[in-house]
Amino acid sequence: MQLLLLNGPNLNLLGQREPGLYGRQTLDAIEQQLKQRAATAGVQLDCYQSNFEGALVERIHQSMGTADGIMINAGAFTHTSIALRDALLGVAIPYVELHLSNTHARESFRHQSYLADRAVGVVCGFGPFSYELAFDGLLHHLRQVEA
Ligand code: CA2
């Protein structure tokens, strides 16, 4: 089983700015922790972050035929990007949308998601733990489908 973790714009700043909103953990620390969880579960995990919408679209295309599932924190692109939606639907790989913050408890423009309605599930509001919940949820879904 191979999973892909995608992170969108500004998430490379995690742990360096706005700790009150997004926590003190760096993206690298979150990725390393998730890789450990993946190793324990016998799953291969690739991680990719970009501040560029097109680069994320390209990475989604590259995962066709290799990734069994995708976890995506698309950052602000969640609320704006039809291109990311089209790419995810285009490759037809099951995905989970995730966020550190509870986007529904924030500005109204963050309540809209171009990804959520076609996702296996959505996790938000648990800080870095959202990544672990998304991983467990996606794995549970894929193993159910496999069985
Ligand atoms: O809560 C989330 O995970 C978000 O995807 C984070 C995005 C925001 O636009 C979404 O609405 C919700 C923003 C990521 C910004 O990341 C930063 C991290 C540290 C310092 C500054 C920004």
Side-chain angles (χ1 to χ4, degrees):
M1 173 99 54
Q2 189 150 341
L3 302 185
L4 173 65
L5 172 66
L6 292 176
N7 278 285
N10 298 308
L11 289 156
N12 55 308
L13 296 178
L14 278 180
Q16 300 167 45
R17 300 241 191 283
E18 301 203 60
L21 193 51
Y22 297 120
R24 293 191 180 278
Q25 247 181 302
T26 63
L27 183 57
D28 187 55
I30 290 171
E31 288 176 351
Q32 291 318 313
Q33 219 168 304
L34 210 61
K35 282 195 172 176
Q36 273 179 21
R37 203 179 189 83
T40 305
V43 168
Q44 161 97 37
L45 176 68
D46 284 339
C47 301
Y48 180 75
Q49 186 276 333
S50 179
N51 295 318
F52 298 93
E53 190 176 13
L56 291 162
V57 168
E58 293 279 358
R59 188 65 189 80
I60 291 167
H61 292 174
Q62 282 166 17
S63 69
M64 205 168 15
T66 55
D68 300 295
I70 296 175
M71 292 158 283
I72 181 164
N73 183 351
F77 291 153
T78 307
H79 320 299
T80 62
S81 181
I82 298 170
L84 279 182
R85 176 192 177 88
D86 287 346
L88 287 164
L89 299 186
V91 298
I93 297 170
Y95 65 91
V96 170
E97 174 185 332
L98 77 104
H99 300 283
L100 293 149
S101 62
N102 178 357
T103 49
H104 299 283
R106 301 183 63 190
E107 304 96 321
S108 58
F109 61 81
R110 294 187 205 276
H111 301 177
Q112 149 83 1
S113 166
Y114 280 104
L115 313 181
D117 65 304
R118 300 297 293 274
V120 169
V122 179
V123 180
C124 71
F126 295 96
F129 193 54
S130 289
Y131 286 81
E132 304 198 28
L133 292 171
F135 176 86
D136 286 356
L138 182 57
L139 196 56
H140 177 77
H141 170 80
L142 293 173
R143 288 192 166 152
Q144 252 181 350
V145 170
E146 245 178 19

